[in-house]
């Protein structure tokens, strides 16, 4: 959420939050000094970034949790102007979301896709989870491995098809000047009355009228505009869908493999080595998630390159 979306009172609140975050930062300096790299994150994103920062910079990553994207941005603008902070290594991380991020300072990293959750839905990540945590080795159990990946592809495609319309509508809201962000609050899971996320039998049924009825405080979106955005999303692929929904799908897919009956296994060969839950998967499987070249370069230099731009 960028500054043009805020009322004067909201902007004042963000400046106050930035001051509080700055105070947190200065209180950490006596303990960690210049040997650390101070990471300003939206919320619970540090499990993904922590090991990457440590490996790239060879410094201790110190988390400074902010109250969402706008607070990270406010903290960046507040802290980067202070000369007394310049000798300390700082990195700022935000999700791309559906909004226009063109005006953000290049000292802030923006995820390549919608959010960090999307880094967990690549073939490389899912394959690594299956091989390492489920023992479904592509060399020892090639048939099981191939069936698992084929199932992942087919079900993921159905899931994205089912959530495309809603994602497109939600994306359109970000470009609507009449939208009050407090009027639409989304859960971590896709509305179950519209989509049944049962692996092997994913079904969905809803339309634009259903969306507007459920979120009746949101401004009206023209159907042609939503359909145009839907086509754009489907072209760009899974990286640009809402990350929380993507993580919901991954959880259900892995749980399906985990819960397959032992006596009639088609996909699995063993139980997962570690317990996993939807709200902790960012941490549980962080070592398998994708890391983009953009992120590597940003962590090394503290500067986001121009290639990390809006799609």
């Amino acid at each position: 959420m960028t500054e043009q979306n805020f009322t004067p009172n909201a902007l004042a609140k963000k400046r106050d939050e930035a001051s509080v975050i700055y105070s947190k930062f200065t209180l950490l300096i006596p303990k960690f000094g210049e040997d650390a790299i101070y990471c300003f994150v939206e919320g619970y994103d540090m499990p993904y970034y922590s090991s990457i920062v440590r490996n790239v910079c060879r410094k201790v990553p110190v988390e400074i949790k902010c109250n969402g994207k706008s607070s990270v941005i406010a903290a960046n603008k507040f802290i980067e102007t202070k000369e007394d902070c310049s000798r300390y290594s700082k990195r700022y991380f935000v999700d791309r979301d559906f909004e226009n991020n063109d005006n953000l300072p290049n000292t802030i990293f923006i995820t390549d896709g919608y959010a960090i959750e999307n880094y967990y839905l690549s073939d490389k990540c899912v394959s690594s989870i299956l091989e390492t945590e489920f023992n479904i080795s592509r060399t020892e159990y090639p048939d099981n491995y191939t069936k698992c990946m084929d199932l992942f592809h087919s079900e993921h495609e159905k899931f994205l098809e089912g959530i495309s319309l809603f994602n497109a509508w939600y994306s359109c809201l970000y470009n609507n000047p009449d939208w009050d962000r407090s009027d639409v609050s989304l859960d971590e899971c896709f509305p179950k009355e519209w989509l049944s996320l049962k692996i092997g039998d994913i079904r969905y049924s809803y339309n634009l009228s259903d969306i507007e009825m459920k979120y009746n405080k949101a401004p009206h979106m023209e159907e042609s505009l939503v359909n145009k955005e839907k086509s754009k999303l489907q072209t760009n692929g899974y990286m640009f869908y809402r990350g929380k929904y993507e993580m919901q799908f991954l959880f259900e897919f892995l749980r399906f493999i985990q819960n397959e009956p032992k006596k009639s296994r088609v996909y699995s060969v063993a139980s997962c080595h570690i317990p996993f839950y939807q709200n902790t998967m960012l941490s549980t499987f962080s070592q398998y998630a994708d890391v983009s070249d953009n992120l590597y370069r940003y962590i090394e230099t503290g500067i986001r390159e121009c290639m990390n731009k809006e799609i």
Side-chain angles (χ1 to χ4, degrees):
M1 192 182 297
T2 49
E3 284 194 359
Q4 60 262 33
N5 299 113
F6 287 113
T7 64
N9 286 340
L11 282 171
K13 181 180 178 183
K14 289 302 168 188
R15 283 191 288 269
D16 289 342
E17 287 184 7
S19 179
V20 171
I21 295 167
Y22 170 70
S23 297
K24 289 181 183 178
F25 170 52
T26 56
L27 288 172
L28 290 168
I29 289 174
K31 182 176 181 180
F32 297 101
E34 296 180 38
D35 294 328
I37 184 160
Y38 300 90
C39 301
F40 298 79
V41 294
E42 293 187 28
Y44 298 95
D45 298 345
M46 202 59 187
Y48 171 73
Y49 290 115
S50 182
S51 62
I52 306 170
V53 171
R54 189 186 301 275
N55 291 336
V56 173
C57 296
R58 304 299 178 185
K59 286 188 174 184
V60 176
V62 177
E63 176 188 40
I64 300 176
K65 195 177 295 182
C66 305
N67 185 28
K69 181 176 183 175
S70 57
S71 291
V72 175
I73 297 169
N76 170 273
K77 292 180 178 180
F78 188 90
I79 293 170
E80 290 302 307
T81 60
K82 296 189 173 295
E83 292 184 10
D84 62 327
C85 299
S86 61
R87 69 178 185 273
Y88 302 107
S89 298
K90 303 171 296 295
R91 300 294 185 268
Y92 306 83
F93 303 94
V94 299
D95 290 341
R96 180 177 295 273
D97 301 322
F98 283 133
E99 61 193 330
N100 188 320
N101 299 286
D102 286 348
N103 295 325
L104 291 191
N106 65 359
T107 48
I108 299 176
F109 176 75
I110 306 166
T111 54
D112 301 88
Y114 183 95
I116 60 172
E117 288 92 342
N118 301 72
Y119 290 125
Y120 291 68
L121 272 293
S122 70
D123 279 9
K124 180 181 176 182
C125 179
V126 174
S127 173
S128 296
I129 293 172
L130 292 174
E131 289 203 82
T132 307
E133 303 298 348
F134 287 82
N135 279 344
I136 309 175
S137 167
R138 70 181 76 194
T139 55
E140 292 186 35
Y141 303 101
D143 290 344
N144 298 75
Y145 174 83
T146 299
K147 287 176 182 177
C148 278
M149 292 306 296
D150 286 347
L151 180 68
F152 170 74
H153 292 146
S154 63
E155 295 305 286
H156 193 201
E157 183 178 341
K158 292 176 188 175
F159 178 70
L160 292 178
E161 180 182 301
I163 67 173
S164 288
L165 178 63
F166 181 79
N167 274 262
W169 173 83
Y170 190 54
S171 177
C172 288
L173 286 182
Y174 275 87
N175 297 310
N176 189 301
D178 298 326
W179 179 36
D180 183 338
R181 302 293 174 100
S182 63
D183 287 343
V184 177
S185 178
L186 302 186
D187 295 327
E188 292 196 0
C189 295
F190 194 79
K192 60 183 180 181
E193 65 267 32
W194 296 340
L195 183 142
S196 172
L197 211 182
K198 181 181 179 182
I199 301 300
D201 188 26
I202 294 176
R203 300 182 184 186
Y204 65 93
S205 179
Y206 68 101
N207 54 38
L208 191 57
S209 296
D210 294 324
I211 297 173
E212 293 187 334
M213 187 176 299
K214 183 177 178 69
Y215 301 100
N216 53 28
K217 291 184 179 180
H220 171 71
M221 297 288 110
E222 292 295 333
E223 187 171 3
S224 59
L225 182 66
V226 175
N227 286 335
K228 182 179 179 181
E229 185 64 20
K230 180 181 175 182
S231 295
K232 177 183 172 183
L233 271 174
Q234 291 173 327
T235 298
N236 288 336
Y238 74 91
M239 280 294 290
F240 297 92
Y241 285 74
R242 186 170 185 254
K244 294 286 192 300
Y245 298 156
E246 288 283 63
M247 193 58 80
Q248 177 193 6
F249 170 80
L250 180 60
F251 171 72
E252 293 296 340
F253 171 76
L254 294 178
R255 190 169 68 166
F256 174 84
I257 303 298
Q258 170 82 325
N259 293 338
E260 189 176 31
K262 292 182 180 180
K263 293 183 179 180
S264 56
R265 280 176 169 163
V266 175
Y267 305 99
S268 61
V269 298
S271 297
C272 184
H273 291 160
I274 53 177
F276 59 91
Y277 308 95
Q278 186 173 336
N279 61 348
T280 58
M281 284 178 65
L282 281 180
S283 176
T284 303
F285 298 121
S286 61
Q287 69 268 41
Y288 306 116
D290 283 2
V291 182
S292 70
D293 290 340
N294 288 339
L295 178 54
Y296 272 123
R297 285 190 286 265
Y298 171 76
I299 291 175
E300 285 179 337
T301 65
I303 299 297
R304 183 183 80 251
E305 296 188 358
C306 61
M307 68 178 65
N308 192 12
K309 61 185 179 180
E310 297 301 314
I311 302 297

